[in-house]
Each structure stands twice: as structure tokens, then as C-alpha cells.
Amino acid sequence: MDSIMTNRNDFWWLSPLIIVIAGIIAGGYLTWAAFQGEFFEWGPYLSPVYSSPYVPSWWKLSPAFLLLWIPAGFRITCYYGRKTYYRAVFADPLACGVEEPYRKKYKGESKFPFILQNIHRYFLYFALILLVLHWTELILSVFYNGSLYFGMGTLIILLDTLALSFYVFGCHSLRHIVGGKTRCFSCDGCPKKAKISHGIWKKVSLFNTFHNRWFWISLFSVGVADLYIRLLAMGILGSDPHIIL
Amino acid sequence: MNSKFRIYRGNQQKAEYKDYEIEVQEGMVVLDAVHKIQAELEPDLAVRWNCKAGKCGSCSAEVNGKPVLMCMTRLSSLPEGPVQIGPMKAFPLIKDLVTDVSWNYEQNKKITPFTPSKDTVWKMQQRDVERAQEFRKCIECFLCQDVCHVLRTHKKHDQFFGPRFFVRTASLDMHPLDTVNRTELLKEKGGIGLCNITKCCTEVCPEDINITDNAIIPMKERVADQYYDPIKTFWGKLFKKNVK
């Protein structure tokens, strides 16, 4: 008999299941952390979830929400992110070769609301600004009270900032902007410019190859960095192992 | 050693899976088994094949529900139990494992062919052709078309080119000596907006072409440049650049 859903007999359901579980854990924790509005800084450290350099006096919500729309929007409209939730959440399709309900009015990303995915490039511009903020906060945390402070938190925030950088630098829209949009790198007659633009495009393409991995690594690294600082601020972790130069 | 097979038999009016059991040897691929069944048990079993080397793209089928080339799928790589072999689901069945893939050739005709300028100097740099070279590996097996849910499930054959022809369009639009902008074609006739980039086409490609990341997404970005980027459009108008 021909199966209604699929004739696949491998573990095709495992990948969407893992993605849903990982998404609930990471998304759930980060949402909870954003709503807390406290225990987000300790000593030299500021949680990456709360990376706004300025909180206006009239702002009544958690300071996390000042900038959290940037990474949220960037990830929701991310080409890899889209693939992930179209499959695991919308079952559109759940896995390759697995049937889904036939919809005569299927419009994909050609009509509202999913046509809005085309604004991904705007979220990229803001994400690049946010990345500068993350690096600035990391450097400021090292220059603490007139000395150089290197703690376990510095290492965790460094790894998180690197993961976020690798994720953003592999963005498909960035790959398009830095060279993908061109038909020909060498055709304007300037070999030096062609070499540089092609070189940048190749580097972004290299990051792009691992975009899916950095999507998940950076999602969890933000949570780990926030959790570490939160545990320090709450006094659950007694101290931050460090050296001062 | 004997192995069991379930092969789709019939035509559009009536079809069902039939069970077969044959002796198999080490190293056999699915196409070998189908040929053995054809030779020993079912002389009228219809199967399309040609090179048996994964280069002609003729023996596309669904083995245990996965779109694959039968000649490149070793029996030893499949799990225990009967091997289920069916035709591609995205195209009309002719008989048994053979489908009518002529729709694909009609899509191909809609794409503006390679159009160099009249005074073209036939000289290119490697850095400018390497993107399009990847797409030249395509053997037109149409497995990507078969697995794409826009065609397979939602039957948008009248509005959607499918991954194979996004690859072909990308190979032309990324060619350094071509002069035609096919963005409007992709959006209007090609229906690239229907693609929700779930990467199944990339997963099944026997030539390992990175269809989604290297062809479809770059083309979607070009469509976004031209139709969905108000700042770029405003900037273009401000400085009188024709962004379209």
C-alpha cells in the first residue's frame, strides 16, 4: 500500500522534532530572560540580551525590548531560519518527500504575510550595528575600573560575540550585497577592485556555508552568556574566576 | 541472498505496488535489481534508463520514498526489509516507473537564452565564471523538481518553474558575458516567490549542486533588489540610476 504521508522508512521525523525542542528551549529561555528586567548586569558584564547602551526614562518595559526586535527580526527573516520553521512548525513540508495537505491557495512567499520576508536585508543593517555594540561592550568589560579584567564571563561573552559575528557574516543578504548581486566582478576594468570585491564575496560565502550551524550556536551562546551573568547577579554563583592586569 | 522488492506497476487509470523476490549480489544498485526483475519475472516492466553511471539523469525514481537515481543507489545502502520503488510523483505517470517529464522542457523554452552583446570580446576571468560553472553540472534528472512541494503537493505547474529552471536562470544571469536581466521573468512567470526555500532540492541533487544557497536565494535577492527594496528604489530615483 502507498502510505498517505510518505513511503520514507528512515528517521525523517527526527530533525523537525529536534528543531522544535531546541527552538522551545532557546526561544523560551531568551523570552523569559527578556521579560525579567533585572539581574542582567554584574561587575563589568552586561547580558547580550540587554545590550542597549541607553534606556530612556519613559521606557516602562524591560530594557531588553529596546533592541531585542533586531535579533528577533533578523532570525525570523533569516533564510536558514525560514527553512527551519517552515518545515518544523508549519510542516510545509515537514521533511523532503513527506506529503502535506494540498492547498489550492498556497502562495509561499509571494503574498502577505510571508512576502515580508524580503525585508531581511534591513534587519541585516541593524544587526551589523548591534554587532558593533556587542564588540564595544566586550571591550568595555575588559577595561574595568582602570585595569584590565579578564574573567570567565569575558571568555563566555567573547565566544558569544564571535558566534554572533560568524552568524551575521554568513548572511545570504550580506553575500548578495558584497558581490552576489553583480554579474561580473572584473568587467569594470579595474583588476584591483575586482580582486577585492571577489575576495570579500568568497569570505562571506565561506561563512555562508556554515550559516545553519552558527544560527544555532549563536542562539544558544546568547542564552549561556545571559545565564552566567544572571547567576552571578543573583548571587547563585559566588564569584567570577578572573585575572586583573 | 534473496531480497524483496515492491515496485509500482500500472498506469494513470490503475496502479498498485507488486511484490517481487530475487537473488541479489554484492555491489548491485537498485537499477540492477529492476533490470533483473524485468529479465526474469516481468518482461513488460517499464523503466527509463540510459548510462547507468549517474550522468544521463534518466533513471530518476523514488526508492523508499526518497527521490534518487536508481543507478547510483546501492542496495547495501538501504535499510533491511522490502525495497519500495515508485515513479516520480510530481509528473504524470506513463507506465510503471516511467513518467512524462516533458513539462520541464516547456519551462525551459520560457527562459530567455544566453544573449551576449554584439561586440562581445570572448574573454572571461575565472573568478567571473566559477559561480555559473557549478550549475553546469546539472544532468536534468528532475529529482529537484520531483521533491519540490510547490510542484509535488501544491501542483503549481502553471505558475512555477521549479528548482531546475531557477538554476538555469541563475547560470545565465551570473554569466559575465550575458546581457539580459531575467528578474522580471523569474518573478512573474517563474513564480520564484512561491519557493519557501526548504532546501529539499539541494538535499536530493545527485550532482551536489547547492541549488538553494547558490542559485535560488541569490535570485530571490535580485528580485528583492528590484521589487521589494524601497530605499534602493528611492536611492536609484534620487541619483537617476535605473535599478530595474
Side-chain angles (χ1 to χ4, degrees), chain A residues 172, chain B residues 197-202 209-218:
Chain A
H172 291 87
Chain B
I197 46 163
T198 48
K199 291 199 175 186
C200 288
C201 48
T202 306
I209 301 171
N210 200 340
I211 298 172
T212 317
D213 291 319
N214 291 349
I216 297 179
I217 294 175

Side-chain angles (χ1 to χ4, degrees), chain B residues 127-139:
Chain B
R127 69 166 71 96
D128 295 319
V129 293
E130 63 189 11
R131 280 183 298 175
Q133 277 178 331
E134 180 191 7
F135 308 139
R136 304 285 294 184
K137 293 193 296 179
C138 178
I139 57 173

Side-chain angles (χ1 to χ4, degrees), chain B residues 95-152:
Chain B
K95 185 177 185 299
D96 302 339
L97 301 178
V98 179
T99 50
D100 177 5
V101 294
S102 59
W103 171 84
N104 292 287
Y105 304 116
E106 296 307 314
Q107 305 315 301
N108 198 30
K109 288 177 194 168
K110 294 177 186 171
I111 299 170
T112 316
F114 178 61
T115 313
S117 64
K118 284 179 183 169
D119 54 349
T120 293
V121 177
W122 295 95
K123 190 176 172 186
M124 294 170 275
Q125 299 291 318
Q126 179 57 35
R127 69 166 71 96
D128 295 319
V129 293
E130 63 189 11
R131 280 183 298 175
Q133 277 178 331
E134 180 191 7
F135 308 139
R136 304 285 294 184
K137 293 193 296 179
C138 178
I139 57 173
E140 294 207 321
C141 59
F142 303 127
L143 289 174
C144 57
Q145 304 284 79
D146 178 47
V147 80
C148 177
H149 72 129
V150 182
L151 298 171
R152 183 189 182 92

Side-chain angles (χ1 to χ4, degrees), chain A residues 94-187:
Chain A
L94 203 50
C96 305
V98 175
E99 297 304 318
E100 61 196 77
Y102 165 74
R103 297 200 307 278
K104 195 179 177 184
K105 291 188 176 176
Y106 171 83
K107 295 293 178 193
E109 295 185 340
S110 65
K111 294 277 189 255
F112 184 82
F114 294 119
I115 198 170
L116 294 176
Q117 306 281 26
N118 286 299
I119 61 172
H120 182 54
R121 56 186 59 191
Y122 291 115
F123 281 114
L124 166 69
Y125 305 144
F126 286 113
L128 288 167
I129 296 168
L130 195 60
L131 207 54
V132 173
L133 273 178
H134 279 305
W135 279 104
T136 307
E137 277 157 11
L138 173 66
I139 293 164
L140 289 177
S141 75
V142 173
F143 294 97
Y144 181 60
N145 282 348
S147 52
L148 294 175
Y149 184 99
F150 296 98
M152 179 62 80
T154 314
L155 181 65
I156 292 172
I157 296 171
L158 172 67
L159 293 175
D160 171 51
T161 312
L162 280 171
L164 285 169
S165 303
F166 292 160
Y167 170 53
V168 174
F169 291 154
C171 169
H172 291 87
S173 287
L174 183 65
R175 190 180 181 219
H176 173 74
I177 291 162
V178 300
K181 63 186 174 185
T182 187
R183 182 188 289 278
C184 175
F185 290 100
S186 315
C187 296

